[in-house]
């Protein structure tokens, strides 16, 4: 009965392990399918290391099971001493040398792949793009070279090197788009960089990968990879003072706490508030915060601030 209970418990544990793995993305065993050169190199390194790990696991667990069966008690009393097995110098040398060789192979492969992951490839003028990624509690702001601004959704052209400069004015965050491969921390007082390039059109979802506070789960991100003409249209519609930026800033920043209609939620109701018709006090509140509200507008340009306060006044100042 005891052996049956142990067998059932072991079977249940294995089943739970397999179910949890299957529930995860990509079968639970590997990274998301990459769409960038750096992501492909990271995936290659993952599977290379996984192969050695799987080999070691099978050998060690196989040997363990074999030893359990081969040297089991076989009816001896618990007090009886089992047969003495003397060591093997050659075997001991092998299990010292083989792990060293495995680690050396892994290190050599990783160092071979690392430059292609870390180093931004050279690009001719006009064929690269630098975007400043600012992580705030609890949204992502993307600043483009000519003053365009986007919130939570970055738009980039296909087949172009994109260099990201990742910063934060408040607490630690982490930029992560799984299918691009790799992630980079946003650390207060420091600028970190990461890059990507892809010719695969589409929208790729990501998430802040560092717990950053109460609304961490809502700090999602998207990267839309579009054609060159679509990217030009995006830039034309996302000038910091434009109505599009005002609307996106409200939806990506304010609405996460106050609701899409200003009806309240994590934060209080703001629809119909007299403060929305007072640009000076409203700007001060957004830039510096108050009580439990963080300074969500810290670092915004005057143009973006005007676009946001104008949107609030036009759409939420009524009762």
């Amino acid at each position: 009965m005891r052996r049956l209970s142990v067998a059932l418990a072991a079977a249940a544990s294995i089943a739970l392990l397999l179910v949890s793995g299957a529930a995860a993305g990509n079968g639970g065993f590997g990274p998301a399918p990459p769409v960038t050169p750096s992501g492909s190199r990271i995936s290659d390194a993952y599977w290379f290391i996984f192969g050695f790990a799987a080999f070691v696991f099978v050998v060690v667990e196989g040997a363990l099971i074999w030893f359990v069966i081969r040297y089991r008690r076989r009816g001896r009393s618990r007090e009886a001493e089992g047969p003495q097995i003397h060591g093997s110098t050659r075997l001991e040398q092998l299990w010292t040398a083989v792990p060293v060789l495995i680690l050396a192979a892994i290190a050599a492969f990783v160092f071979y792949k690392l430059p292609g992951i870390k180093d931004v490839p050279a690009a001719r003028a006009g064929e690269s793009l630098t975007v400043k990624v600012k992580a705030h509690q609890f949204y992502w702001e993307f600043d483009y070279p000519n003053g365009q601004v986007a919130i939570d959704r970055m738009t980039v052209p296909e087949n172009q090197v994109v260099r990201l400069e990742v910063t934060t004015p408040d607490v630690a965050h982490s930029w992560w788009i799984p299918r691009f491969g790799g992630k980079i921390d946003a650390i207060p007082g420091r600028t970190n960089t990461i890059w990507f390039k892809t010719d695969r059109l589409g929208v790729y979802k990501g998430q802040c990968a560092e717990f950053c506070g109460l609304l961490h789960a809502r700090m999602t991100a998207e990267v839309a990879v579009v054609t060159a003409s679509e990217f030009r249209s995006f830039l034309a519609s996302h000038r910091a003072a434009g109505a599009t930026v005002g609307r996106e800033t409200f939806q990506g920043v304010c609405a996460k706490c106050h609701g899409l209609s200003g009806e309240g939620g994590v934060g209080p109701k703001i629809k119909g508030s007299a403060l929305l018709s007072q640009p000076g006090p409203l700007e001060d509140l957004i830039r510096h915060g108050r009580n439990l509200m963080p300074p969500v507008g810290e670092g915004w340009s005057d143009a973006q601030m005007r676009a946001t306060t104008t949107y609030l006044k036009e759409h939420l100042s009524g009762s």
Side-chain angles (χ1 to χ4, degrees), residues 52 55-56 88-106:
F52 278 114
F55 170 76
V56 171
S88 167
T89 301
R90 179 174 295 179
L91 182 61
E92 292 171 358
Q93 290 173 339
L94 282 174
W95 74 41
T96 300
V98 170
V100 171
L101 294 175
I102 290 175
L103 291 176
I106 291 174

Side-chain angles (χ1 to χ4, degrees), residues 13-309:
S13 299
I14 293 172
L16 288 172
L17 180 63
L18 294 176
V19 167
S20 62
N26 197 27
F29 290 105
V35 295
T36 65
S38 55
S40 296
R41 285 175 172 263
I42 291 172
S43 185
D44 291 344
Y46 173 89
W47 289 113
F48 186 80
I49 296 171
F50 177 83
F52 278 114
F55 170 76
V56 171
F57 175 82
V58 170
V59 170
V60 172
E61 293 302 314
L64 177 62
I65 294 172
W66 185 79
F67 282 128
V68 168
I69 295 173
R70 173 67 177 80
Y71 299 106
R72 65 189 184 278
R73 187 158 51 93
R74 296 187 180 184
R76 295 193 312 270
S77 68
R78 293 184 179 275
E79 290 77 20
E81 186 175 355
Q84 301 302 299
I85 307 299
H86 295 283
S88 167
T89 301
R90 179 174 295 179
L91 182 61
E92 292 171 358
Q93 290 173 339
L94 282 174
W95 74 41
T96 300
V98 170
V100 171
L101 294 175
I102 290 175
L103 291 176
I106 291 174
F109 189 81
V110 169
F111 279 110
Y112 168 72
K113 291 289 186 178
L114 191 59
I117 296 171
K118 183 178 179 182
D119 298 340
V120 181
R124 291 177 295 181
E127 293 186 355
S128 66
L129 172 69
T130 298
V131 180
K132 294 182 179 179
V133 179
K134 298 179 181 177
H136 297 259
Q137 292 179 307
F138 298 93
Y139 68 97
W140 298 97
E141 177 183 342
F142 308 115
D143 293 348
Y144 290 79
N146 294 320
Q148 294 87 354
V149 177
I151 301 294
D152 282 349
R153 182 183 175 110
M154 180 191 301
T155 300
V156 298
E158 62 177 326
N159 204 30
Q160 193 168 107
V161 174
V162 181
R163 182 177 183 271
L164 306 182
E165 297 179 351
V166 184
T167 61
T168 177
D170 42 56
V171 301
H173 303 269
S174 189
W175 170 257
W176 182 41
I177 305 294
R179 296 197 66 184
F180 286 1
K183 56 185 174 182
I184 196 75
D185 287 344
I187 300 173
R190 180 172 178 174
T191 299
N192 289 328
T193 59
I194 192 171
W195 72 277
F196 64 87
K197 176 183 178 181
T198 181
D199 57 3
R200 301 277 294 275
L201 299 177
V203 178
Y204 302 95
K205 297 184 180 297
Q207 168 76 49
C208 176
E210 183 79 24
F211 180 69
C212 54
L214 180 64
L215 295 184
H216 164 72
R218 297 187 185 180
M219 195 168 170
T220 58
E222 292 181 346
V223 177
V225 181
V226 299
T227 63
S229 61
E230 290 173 322
F231 182 64
R232 288 192 293 270
S233 298
F234 162 81
L235 293 178
S237 65
H238 281 75
R239 300 192 182 280
T244 298
V245 171
R247 173 177 53 81
E248 290 188 1
T249 300
F250 168 75
Q251 292 175 346
V253 181
C254 310
K256 288 177 180 176
C257 284
H258 300 289
L260 282 171
S261 300
E263 71 278 12
V266 176
K269 175 183 177 181
I270 59 173
K271 185 174 178 62
S273 171
L275 182 63
L276 300 183
S277 299
Q278 303 174 41
L282 179 58
E283 178 177 343
D284 182 71
L285 174 64
I286 293 173
R287 286 197 186 280
H288 303 105
R290 184 185 302 165
N291 299 327
L292 296 178
M293 177 177 168
V296 294
E298 183 178 358
W300 288 0
S301 66
D302 291 339
Q304 184 181 0
M305 181 63 70
R306 285 195 303 271
T308 304
T309 55

